[in-house]
Amino acid sequence: MRAARLIKMVLLLQSRASMTAAELAEELEVSERTITRDAQALSEAGVPVYADRGRTGGYRLIGGYRTRLTGLARSEAEALFLSGVPGALREMGLEDAASAARLKVSAALLPSLRDASESAAQRFHLDAPGWFKESPAPALLPAVADAVWDDRRLIARYRRQESEVSRELEPYGLVLKAGVWYLCARVPETGSYRVYRIDRFTSVEPHGEHRFERDEDFDLPGFWEERAAQFARAILRDHAVLRLSPDGARQLPYVTDRAAAHEALADAEPDERGWVTITLPVESTVVAYTQLLMLGSEAEVIGPPELRDRIAATAARMAALYR
C-alpha cells in the first residue's frame, strides 16, 4: 500500500511544478504528517524531492527528474491498453498516433509487463455496431476529429429533411453510439449545445485560424447522457394500453423503451391471475405493432383500437396458417 502511494506521489509531483503538503494529503487521502514522512523516504531512496518552506512553499522535484512507469501492476498496464478502442481510433484517423503511443508505453514498462498489450487485446474487443447493421465511418469524420482535438471552429453543411443547412460550430466532443458517430457542438450564435449526426454532414471547413475558448464546465459524458434521455422521451409521442401476463411484464423492457417500460410497470397492481394493465408510452402505433408482436400471447392490446385491430388480424392469420 505504501509503495503504491509513494509512486503516485512521485507521479503527481512530475505532473505539477509544486504541490503543498495539504494538496498532496488530499490527493493521497492521508495526513500531512504522512506526506512529510513519505517525502523523506523518497529522498532517502534517491528521488530528489525538495521541500520549500513558508506559507507559499510546497514539495517539488528538482533537476528535471522523471521516473519510468516501473510502478505499474499487470492489471493497471492491461487497463491502460484497453483505453484506446482500435476501430474508433482508426475511423478518426488516429491509428498511427495510438500505435506510436502504445510502443512508447511498452518500452517504458518492466520486461515482465511488456506483453500487457497482447494480453488485453486477446481478452477484450469492442464491436460497437448492432447486429445486422453495417455502419461505415463517415468520410468527414477525420476532419471533424481534427477540429475537436484542436478546438477550432467549423463551418458545417448538413442535411436537414429535404434541405441543406450551413452552421458555424464549436466542436466540443465526439460520441460513438451503436456504430453511429455524433458531434456535440456549441453554436456560437446562440451559445446553445446541440448534437449532430456526422454522416449527415455534406462538408466541413475550418473557420479562421484561432481556437475557440472551451467552457471548462462542459462535461461530455453528462451532456450526452442528458440529451440521450431527452431524445428517448421525445420520440415517445403515443400511448398503448396493455394487459400483460407475469411473463409479458418481465419481457416488456426487452422489446420496447426500457425506461418507459419500467416506469409504466412501477405502480401496476396485478389481478388475481397476476396480469397487470398499464399505459405504455410508444413511438407510434406502427412501431408498437412490431414491438408488441414479440410478446405473443403474453400481452393483450386494449387500445388504441387501430393497434388492437391490427394485432388481432395478424393473430387470426397466424392461427389460420398453423391450424
Side-chain angles (χ1 to χ4, degrees), residues 277-320:
T277 301
I278 65 169
T279 299
L280 176 71
V282 295
E283 184 174 346
S284 67
T285 55
V286 174
V287 173
Y289 165 78
T290 303
Q291 294 172 334
L292 297 176
L293 276 181
M294 289 188 278
L295 296 179
S297 61
E298 304 303 323
E300 177 190 1
V301 175
I302 307 299
E306 62 270 22
L307 178 59
R308 178 182 175 89
D309 291 346
R310 188 176 180 188
I311 288 186
T314 300
R317 290 195 302 272
M318 291 183 67

Coordinates of all heavy atoms in Angstrom, one line a residue, residues 277-320:
T277 N -52.5 -4.2 -16.0 CA -52.9 -3.3 -17.0 C -52.1 -2.0 -16.9 O -52.1 -1.4 -15.8 CB -54.4 -3.0 -17.0 OG1 -55.1 -4.3 -17.1 CG2 -54.8 -2.1 -18.1
I278 N -51.5 -1.6 -18.0 CA -50.6 -0.4 -18.0 C -50.9 0.4 -19.2 O -51.4 0.0 -20.2 CB -49.1 -0.8 -17.9 CG1 -48.7 -1.5 -19.2 CG2 -48.8 -1.7 -16.7 CD1 -47.2 -1.7 -19.4
T279 N -50.5 1.7 -19.1 CA -50.4 2.6 -20.2 C -49.0 2.9 -20.6 O -48.2 3.4 -19.7 CB -51.1 3.9 -19.9 OG1 -52.5 3.7 -19.6 CG2 -51.1 4.9 -21.1
L280 N -48.6 2.4 -21.7 CA -47.2 2.4 -22.1 C -46.9 3.5 -23.2 O -47.5 3.5 -24.2 CB -46.8 1.1 -22.7 CG -45.3 1.0 -23.3 CD1 -44.3 1.0 -22.1 CD2 -45.2 -0.3 -24.1
P281 N -46.0 4.5 -22.9 CA -45.6 5.4 -24.0 C -44.9 4.7 -25.1 O -44.0 3.8 -24.9 CB -44.6 6.4 -23.3 CG -44.9 6.2 -21.8 CD -45.3 4.8 -21.7
V282 N -45.3 5.0 -26.4 CA -44.7 4.3 -27.5 C -44.4 5.4 -28.6 O -44.9 6.5 -28.5 CB -45.6 3.3 -28.1 CG1 -45.8 2.1 -27.2 CG2 -47.0 3.9 -28.6
E283 N -43.5 5.1 -29.5 CA -43.1 6.0 -30.6 C -44.3 6.2 -31.5 O -44.6 7.4 -31.9 CB -41.9 5.5 -31.3 CG -41.4 6.4 -32.4 CD -40.1 5.9 -33.0 OE1 -39.5 5.0 -32.4 OE2 -39.7 6.4 -34.0
S284 N -45.0 5.2 -31.9 CA -46.1 5.3 -32.8 C -46.8 3.9 -32.8 O -46.2 2.9 -32.3 CB -45.7 5.6 -34.2 OG -44.9 4.5 -34.8
T285 N -48.0 3.8 -33.3 CA -48.7 2.6 -33.3 C -48.0 1.6 -34.3 O -48.0 0.4 -34.1 CB -50.2 2.8 -33.7 OG1 -50.2 3.4 -35.0 CG2 -50.9 3.5 -32.7
V286 N -47.4 2.1 -35.3 CA -46.6 1.3 -36.3 C -45.5 0.6 -35.6 O -45.3 -0.6 -35.7 CB -46.2 2.1 -37.5 CG1 -45.3 1.3 -38.4 CG2 -47.3 2.7 -38.2
V287 N -44.7 1.4 -34.8 CA -43.5 0.8 -34.1 C -44.0 -0.1 -33.0 O -43.5 -1.2 -32.8 CB -42.7 1.9 -33.5 CG1 -41.6 1.4 -32.6 CG2 -42.0 2.8 -34.6
A288 N -45.1 0.3 -32.3 CA -45.6 -0.5 -31.2 C -46.1 -1.9 -31.7 O -45.9 -2.9 -31.0 CB -46.7 0.2 -30.5
Y289 N -46.7 -1.9 -32.9 CA -47.2 -3.1 -33.5 C -46.0 -4.1 -33.6 O -46.2 -5.3 -33.2 CB -47.8 -2.8 -34.9 CG -48.0 -4.0 -35.7 CD1 -49.1 -4.9 -35.5 CD2 -47.1 -4.3 -36.8 CE1 -49.3 -6.0 -36.4 CE2 -47.3 -5.4 -37.6 CZ -48.4 -6.3 -37.4 OH -48.5 -7.4 -38.2
T290 N -44.9 -3.7 -34.2 CA -43.8 -4.6 -34.4 C -43.2 -5.1 -33.0 O -42.9 -6.2 -32.8 CB -42.7 -3.9 -35.1 OG1 -43.2 -3.4 -36.4 CG2 -41.5 -4.8 -35.4
Q291 N -43.1 -4.1 -32.0 CA -42.5 -4.5 -30.8 C -43.4 -5.5 -30.0 O -43.0 -6.5 -29.4 CB -42.3 -3.2 -29.9 CG -41.3 -2.3 -30.5 CD -41.2 -1.0 -29.8 OE1 -42.2 -0.5 -29.2 NE2 -40.0 -0.3 -29.8
L292 N -44.8 -5.2 -29.9 CA -45.6 -5.9 -29.1 C -45.9 -7.3 -29.7 O -46.3 -8.3 -28.9 CB -46.9 -5.2 -28.9 CG -46.8 -3.8 -28.1 CD1 -48.1 -3.1 -28.0 CD2 -46.2 -4.1 -26.7
L293 N -45.8 -7.5 -31.0 CA -45.9 -8.8 -31.6 C -44.9 -9.8 -30.9 O -45.2 -11.0 -30.9 CB -45.7 -8.8 -33.1 CG -46.9 -8.4 -33.9 CD1 -46.6 -8.4 -35.4 CD2 -48.1 -9.4 -33.7
M294 N -43.8 -9.3 -30.5 CA -42.7 -10.2 -29.9 C -43.2 -10.8 -28.6 O -42.6 -11.8 -28.1 CB -41.4 -9.4 -29.8 CG -40.7 -9.1 -31.1 SD -39.1 -8.4 -30.9 CE -39.5 -6.7 -30.6
L295 N -44.2 -10.2 -28.0 CA -44.7 -10.7 -26.7 C -45.7 -11.8 -26.9 O -46.1 -12.5 -25.9 CB -45.3 -9.6 -25.9 CG -44.3 -8.5 -25.4 CD1 -45.1 -7.4 -24.6 CD2 -43.2 -9.1 -24.6
G296 N -46.2 -12.0 -28.1 CA -47.1 -13.1 -28.4 C -48.3 -13.0 -27.5 O -48.9 -12.0 -27.3
S297 N -48.7 -14.2 -27.0 CA -49.9 -14.3 -26.2 C -49.7 -13.8 -24.8 O -50.7 -13.9 -24.0 CB -50.4 -15.7 -26.2 OG -49.4 -16.6 -25.6
E298 N -48.5 -13.3 -24.4 CA -48.3 -12.8 -23.1 C -48.8 -11.3 -22.9 O -48.6 -10.7 -21.9 CB -46.8 -12.9 -22.8 CG -46.2 -14.3 -22.9 CD -46.9 -15.3 -22.0 OE1 -47.4 -14.9 -20.9 OE2 -47.1 -16.4 -22.5
A299 N -49.3 -10.7 -24.0 CA -49.8 -9.4 -24.0 C -51.1 -9.2 -24.7 O -51.2 -9.8 -25.8 CB -48.7 -8.4 -24.5
E300 N -52.0 -8.5 -24.2 CA -53.2 -8.1 -24.9 C -53.3 -6.6 -25.1 O -53.2 -5.9 -24.1 CB -54.5 -8.6 -24.2 CG -55.8 -8.2 -24.8 CD -57.0 -8.5 -24.0 OE1 -56.9 -9.0 -22.9 OE2 -58.1 -8.2 -24.5
V301 N -53.5 -6.2 -26.3 CA -53.6 -4.7 -26.6 C -55.0 -4.3 -26.3 O -55.9 -4.8 -27.0 CB -53.1 -4.4 -28.0 CG1 -53.4 -2.9 -28.3 CG2 -51.7 -4.7 -28.2
I302 N -55.3 -3.4 -25.4 CA -56.6 -2.9 -25.1 C -56.9 -1.7 -26.1 O -58.0 -1.5 -26.6 CB -56.7 -2.4 -23.7 CG1 -56.3 -3.6 -22.8 CG2 -58.2 -2.0 -23.4 CD1 -57.2 -4.8 -22.9
G303 N -55.9 -0.8 -26.3 CA -56.1 0.3 -27.1 C -54.7 0.9 -27.5 O -53.7 0.5 -26.9
P304 N -54.7 1.8 -28.5 CA -55.8 2.3 -29.3 C -56.5 1.3 -30.2 O -55.8 0.3 -30.5 CB -55.2 3.5 -30.1 CG -53.8 3.1 -30.2 CD -53.4 2.3 -28.9
P305 N -57.7 1.5 -30.6 CA -58.4 0.5 -31.4 C -57.7 0.0 -32.6 O -57.7 -1.2 -33.0 CB -59.8 1.2 -31.7 CG -59.9 2.2 -30.6 CD -58.6 2.7 -30.3
E306 N -57.0 1.0 -33.4 CA -56.4 0.6 -34.6 C -55.2 -0.4 -34.4 O -54.9 -1.3 -35.2 CB -55.9 1.8 -35.4 CG -54.9 2.7 -34.7 CD -55.5 3.8 -33.8 OE1 -56.6 3.6 -33.4 OE2 -54.7 4.8 -33.6
L307 N -54.5 -0.2 -33.2 CA -53.4 -1.1 -32.9 C -54.0 -2.5 -32.5 O -53.5 -3.5 -32.9 CB -52.6 -0.5 -31.8 CG -51.4 -1.4 -31.3 CD1 -50.4 -1.7 -32.4 CD2 -50.7 -0.7 -30.1
R308 N -55.0 -2.5 -31.7 CA -55.7 -3.8 -31.3 C -56.2 -4.5 -32.5 O -55.9 -5.7 -32.6 CB -56.8 -3.5 -30.3 CG -57.5 -4.8 -29.8 CD -58.7 -4.5 -28.9 NE -59.4 -5.7 -28.6 CZ -59.2 -6.5 -27.6 NH1 -58.1 -6.3 -26.8 NH2 -59.9 -7.6 -27.4
D309 N -56.8 -3.8 -33.4 CA -57.4 -4.5 -34.6 C -56.3 -5.0 -35.5 O -56.4 -6.1 -36.0 CB -58.2 -3.5 -35.4 CG -59.5 -3.1 -34.7 OD1 -59.9 -3.7 -33.7 OD2 -60.1 -2.0 -35.1
R310 N -55.2 -4.3 -35.6 CA -54.1 -4.8 -36.5 C -53.5 -6.1 -35.9 O -53.2 -7.0 -36.6 CB -53.1 -3.7 -36.7 CG -52.0 -4.1 -37.7 CD -51.0 -2.9 -37.9 NE -50.1 -3.3 -38.9 CZ -49.0 -2.6 -39.3 NH1 -48.8 -1.4 -38.7 NH2 -48.1 -3.1 -40.2
I311 N -53.2 -6.1 -34.6 CA -52.6 -7.2 -34.0 C -53.6 -8.4 -34.0 O -53.2 -9.6 -34.2 CB -52.1 -6.9 -32.5 CG1 -50.9 -6.0 -32.6 CG2 -51.8 -8.2 -31.7 CD1 -50.2 -5.7 -31.3
A312 N -54.9 -8.1 -33.8 CA -55.9 -9.2 -33.8 C -55.9 -9.8 -35.2 O -56.0 -11.1 -35.3 CB -57.3 -8.7 -33.4
A313 N -55.9 -9.0 -36.2 CA -55.9 -9.5 -37.6 C -54.7 -10.4 -37.9 O -54.7 -11.4 -38.5 CB -56.0 -8.4 -38.6
T314 N -53.5 -9.9 -37.4 CA -52.3 -10.7 -37.6 C -52.4 -12.0 -36.8 O -52.0 -13.1 -37.4 CB -51.1 -9.9 -37.1 OG1 -50.9 -8.7 -37.8 CG2 -49.8 -10.7 -37.2
A315 N -52.9 -12.0 -35.6 CA -53.1 -13.2 -34.8 C -54.0 -14.2 -35.5 O -53.8 -15.4 -35.5 CB -53.6 -12.9 -33.4
A316 N -55.1 -13.7 -36.1 CA -56.0 -14.5 -36.8 C -55.4 -15.2 -38.1 O -55.6 -16.4 -38.3 CB -57.2 -13.7 -37.3
R317 N -54.6 -14.4 -38.8 CA -53.9 -15.0 -40.0 C -52.9 -16.1 -39.5 O -52.7 -17.1 -40.2 CB -53.2 -13.9 -40.7 CG -54.1 -13.0 -41.5 CD -53.4 -12.1 -42.5 NE -52.3 -11.3 -42.0 CZ -52.5 -10.1 -41.5 NH1 -53.7 -9.5 -41.5 NH2 -51.4 -9.4 -41.0
M318 N -52.2 -15.8 -38.4 CA -51.2 -16.8 -37.9 C -51.9 -18.1 -37.5 O -51.5 -19.2 -37.7 CB -50.4 -16.2 -36.8 CG -49.4 -15.1 -37.2 SD -48.4 -14.5 -35.9 CE -47.4 -15.9 -35.5
A319 N -53.1 -17.9 -36.8 CA -53.8 -19.1 -36.3 C -54.3 -19.9 -37.5 O -54.3 -21.2 -37.5 CB -55.1 -18.6 -35.5
A320 N -54.7 -19.2 -38.6 CA -55.2 -20.0 -39.8 C -54.0 -20.7 -40.4 O -54.1 -21.8 -40.9 CB -55.8 -19.0 -40.7

